[in-house]
Amino acid sequence: STFTDPLPAINISILVGSTLFAYVLFGSPLMTHSSEEVASKVLQNVGDLLSVTTMGGSVTFASDSFRRVLGYTPDEPLERMHVRDFMENADRILTLAKNAHDVEEKPLYLETAYRTKEGNSLPVLLSVARLRAGLESFGFVFMARDLTERRELTRRAEESEEKYQQIVESSLDGIVIVQNGRLVFVNPSAVNIFGYRSAEEMKNAAFEERVAPGSKPFVVPADRDRLVGDDILKNHEMKGLRQDNKVIDLEINAKLVSWNGKPAILASFRDMTERKELEREQALWFWEQEALTGIDRKLVAMVDLQRVLDAISHHAKALTRADFAGVLMIETKANQYLWRAVKGNRKPLPKNQFPLTPLHKELLSQSIISVRNIGTDPRFREDQFPVLSNEEVVSMNGFPLKVEAQLRGVLVVGFRSDHEFTGREQRLLASLAEK
C-alpha cells in the first residue's frame, strides 16, 4: 500500500461523517425513521465501494457497489467477513488507521488492492475514516474507488506516448518545435540534418540561424490571424544552413500548434540535398549533351580551320567556366608548336612558334595532360609554359586533337587559381576534342 493524494469525489466519507454512520447503523433516537431510510438509500447507492467495520476489522455493512464489484450477491450475508478477506495489506492498514490521531478527523488516504470473490486483484484508492461516538471510536468506514479503468487509461496513454515518442525519435525526417524564435524541441534526425552534436547544442541556437538568407521569409511569428492546427507551409522547398554554414536543400511542412499552453510552430524537414544534386547533375548532363550536339552540327558546317578552332576554344571555356582556353597546333617535324584560337587571354597572343621540349613531349604522350602549380612546382617552370605563365594560369588540362590517329594539336583549358578538374569537366573536354 502506498499513500497518495485523494481524489475529490472520494471525500464522501467526510460528507456522511462518522455520526451519520452511527445513526444509520446502530440506530439513534434523535433520527426519525424516514431519515434513516433516506440515509440508508444514499449509502446503498453510493458509486464507490463502501464498507463499514468494527475496530477489529469485521464487516458490519457493505454497499451495493461493494457487493457487485467484488462478486457478492445482494442477499449474501457478509457479517462473518473480515477486511483480510478482500483487502491486501489489511492488518497494516488497520494498524495505520488505529494509530492515526488526526485532530481534524481527516480520513487516511492510500492506494491498495481489493480481491474479488473469485480471487482477482482490483487496484483501489482507499479512504479510511473512524466512526466515533463522542470520544470513543467504535469502527471504520472504508471507501474505495476502483482504479482499474483509470490504470488502463493511464497505461494506454503511456503506451501511446511511448509509441509516439519512438516514432518521432526514429523518424528520418527532422522534427522541431519553434516558440518565440527558439527551438524548444528537436529530434535526432534534425540534429543530424543541421550538423549538431546534440539536441541541447542545437536548442541553444536561434532557429533563424539555420535558415539560409533567401529562405528567411519562412520564419513567421505565430500571429493572431492563425489558429492552432492551421498549416503554415506545406511541401515547401527552402534552403537551410548546417552548423558549418553549408547550404542544404530542405522540404518543409509546418503548422501552428499549442506547446505548453502557448502558440508554437511544429515543422518537419526532409533533407533533399542529395536528390537535388542528382537532379542538377541530370539537368546539367542533358544540357551538356544538347550543347555538344549543337557544337557538332556547327563544326560539320564549317570548312575554315580557324573558325573551327575558335568554336572549340569558345565552347571549351563556356562549358567548364574556365579562365583561359586555346588550341596549340603541333609541328612534329619542325619540333615546334603554335598557339591558335585563344579565348580569355588578357595579353596579346604571340604569333611566333615555340620549341617542343622533352617535358612537352612527355606530356603529349598522355591521353589527358594535367598540370598544376605552374611556376611554383620545380617540374613545371614558367619558362616551360611562357604563354600560360604570362596569362597567370596556374592549373591546366590538355586534350590531344588527332586527325586519322595523328597528333595535330592540343586543346588547352586553364584556370588562374589552383583547380582540380572534375571527371565531368574532363569528359566534356575529351568529347569536344574528339570532334
Side-chain angles (χ1 to χ4, degrees):
S1 304
T2 57
F3 288 95
T4 183
D5 291 332
L7 295 174
I10 206 168
N11 286 335
I12 189 170
S13 59
I14 298 177
L15 178 64
V16 296
S18 59
T19 304
L20 176 59
F21 279 108
Y23 287 167
V24 173
L25 301 175
F26 300 95
S28 170
L30 299 176
M31 179 173 282
T32 66
H33 180 73
S34 61
S35 296
E36 291 177 4
E37 290 180 346
V38 171
S40 179
K41 193 70 173 178
V42 170
L43 295 175
Q44 286 290 358
N45 289 278
V46 69
D48 294 319
L49 282 60
L50 173 64
S51 60
V52 180
T53 73
T54 64
M55 292 296 290
S58 297
V59 177
T60 59
F61 173 83
S63 68
D64 289 347
S65 295
F66 180 96
R67 293 172 177 271
R68 183 179 67 256
V69 173
L70 297 187
Y72 297 96
T73 61
D75 56 352
E76 192 169 354
L78 301 179
E79 286 75 13
R80 294 183 180 180
M81 179 177 285
H82 192 276
V83 289
R84 298 189 195 94
D85 297 327
F86 62 87
M87 183 189 303
E88 292 185 4
N89 302 309
D91 291 332
R92 177 174 176 270
I93 293 172
L94 279 172
T95 301
L96 289 172
K98 290 175 181 178
N99 293 335
H101 297 289
D102 192 333
V103 296
E104 298 180 2
E105 298 186 355
K106 290 184 179 179
L108 176 68
Y109 294 100
L110 51 94
E111 285 189 13
T112 186
Y114 275 14
R115 287 187 299 275
T116 66
K117 189 177 180 180
E118 290 75 21
N120 299 321
S121 182
L122 193 74
V124 296
L125 176 61
L126 183 64
S127 168
V128 186
R130 287 194 185 197
L131 287 172
R132 300 177 186 271
L135 297 177
E136 183 181 354
S137 298
F138 58 87
F140 293 105
V141 178
F142 292 92
M143 183 78 73
R145 169 156 297 180
D146 186 358
L147 296 180
T148 305
E149 185 175 352
R150 172 169 296 194
R151 292 276 177 86
E152 178 62 17
L153 289 174
T154 302
R155 186 193 66 78
R156 290 182 182 178
E158 290 175 349
E159 186 179 84
S160 177
E161 183 178 350
E162 183 180 356
K163 288 180 179 178
Y164 173 76
Q165 184 175 356
Q166 288 176 351
I167 291 171
V168 171
E169 294 292 329
S170 62
S171 172
L172 295 178
D173 290 347
I175 299 174
V176 304
I177 294 178
V178 186
Q179 194 171 60
N180 297 325
R182 305 294 300 183
L183 289 160
V184 295
F185 173 83
V186 296
N187 75 338
S189 289
V191 174
N192 182 59
I193 288 172
F194 288 97
Y196 284 91
R197 289 173 294 184
S198 68
E200 289 304 317
E201 183 183 18
M202 183 173 175
K203 285 194 287 187
N204 286 333
F207 177 70
E208 191 173 353
E209 295 176 7
R210 303 279 63 88
V211 181
S215 298
K216 292 291 185 185
F218 158 70
V219 185
V220 291
D223 55 41
R224 285 172 286 183
D225 295 334
R226 291 187 174 88
L227 300 174
V228 171
D230 285 354
D231 287 329
I232 298 173
L233 294 170
K234 198 167 185 179
N235 300 329
H236 177 75
E237 293 186 8
M238 60 169 281
K239 299 284 187 180
L241 286 177
R242 285 172 53 88
Q243 189 186 25
D244 57 7
N245 288 325
K246 178 185 176 182
V247 178
I248 52 178
D249 292 287
L250 301 170
E251 181 182 78
I252 177 173
N253 288 280
K255 65 168 46 185
L256 190 66
V257 298
S258 177
W259 182 264
N260 292 332
K262 296 180 180 179
I265 296 173
L266 169 65
S268 62
F269 298 90
R270 179 162 296 177
D271 188 353
M272 300 193 303
T273 306
E274 202 172 305
R275 192 186 85 189
K276 285 293 184 180
E277 287 177 354
L278 289 174
E279 289 177 355
R280 285 190 284 267
E281 285 289 333
Q282 187 178 43
L284 184 59
W285 184 86
F286 281 119
W287 173 78
E288 290 167 353
Q289 297 307 307
E290 186 177 349
L292 289 173
T293 302
I295 293 169
D296 194 39
R297 287 195 297 265
K298 290 179 181 178
L299 293 178
V300 168
M302 292 180 183
V303 293
D304 181 76
L305 177 60
Q306 186 60 46
R307 289 183 62 197
V308 171
L309 298 180
D310 285 339
I312 291 175
S313 297
H314 170 77
H315 290 297
K317 184 176 183 298
L319 288 171
T320 59
R321 298 182 180 179
D323 299 317
F324 177 93
V327 176
L328 55 86
M329 303 301 294
I330 305 294
E331 294 286 346
T332 306
K333 291 183 180 180
N335 205 34
Q336 293 179 330
Y337 68 90
L338 175 69
W339 280 99
R340 301 276 294 272
V342 173
K343 303 296 179 183
N345 55 308
R346 294 173 176 174
K347 300 177 181 179
L349 182 68
K351 296 182 180 180
N352 59 296
Q353 293 185 336
F354 297 89
L356 286 171
T357 67
L359 175 63
H360 295 149
K361 291 178 181 179
E362 178 187 342
L363 294 174
L364 288 172
S365 65
Q366 302 173 8
S367 58
I368 297 178
I369 302 167
S370 181
V371 178
R372 295 175 68 179
N373 303 319
I374 297 174
T376 58
D377 188 328
R379 188 162 179 251
F380 304 127
R381 303 189 312 270
E382 291 184 358
D383 60 333
Q384 296 278 6
F385 306 94
V387 173
L388 296 180
S389 298
N390 196 39
E391 290 292 336
E392 300 179 344
V393 171
V394 175
S395 305
M396 61 82 72
N397 264 22
F399 299 85
L401 301 174
K402 294 182 179 181
V403 178
E404 297 178 352
Q406 296 295 317
L407 179 65
R408 296 298 179 88
V410 178
L411 171 61
V412 177
V413 178
F415 289 83
R416 292 187 174 92
S417 59
D418 185 42
H419 179 80
E420 183 175 358
F421 284 78
T422 65
R424 182 189 66 83
E425 291 171 333
Q426 290 182 341
R427 286 193 299 272
L428 271 174
L429 295 171
S431 297
L432 191 59
E434 290 174 0
K435 298 183 181 302

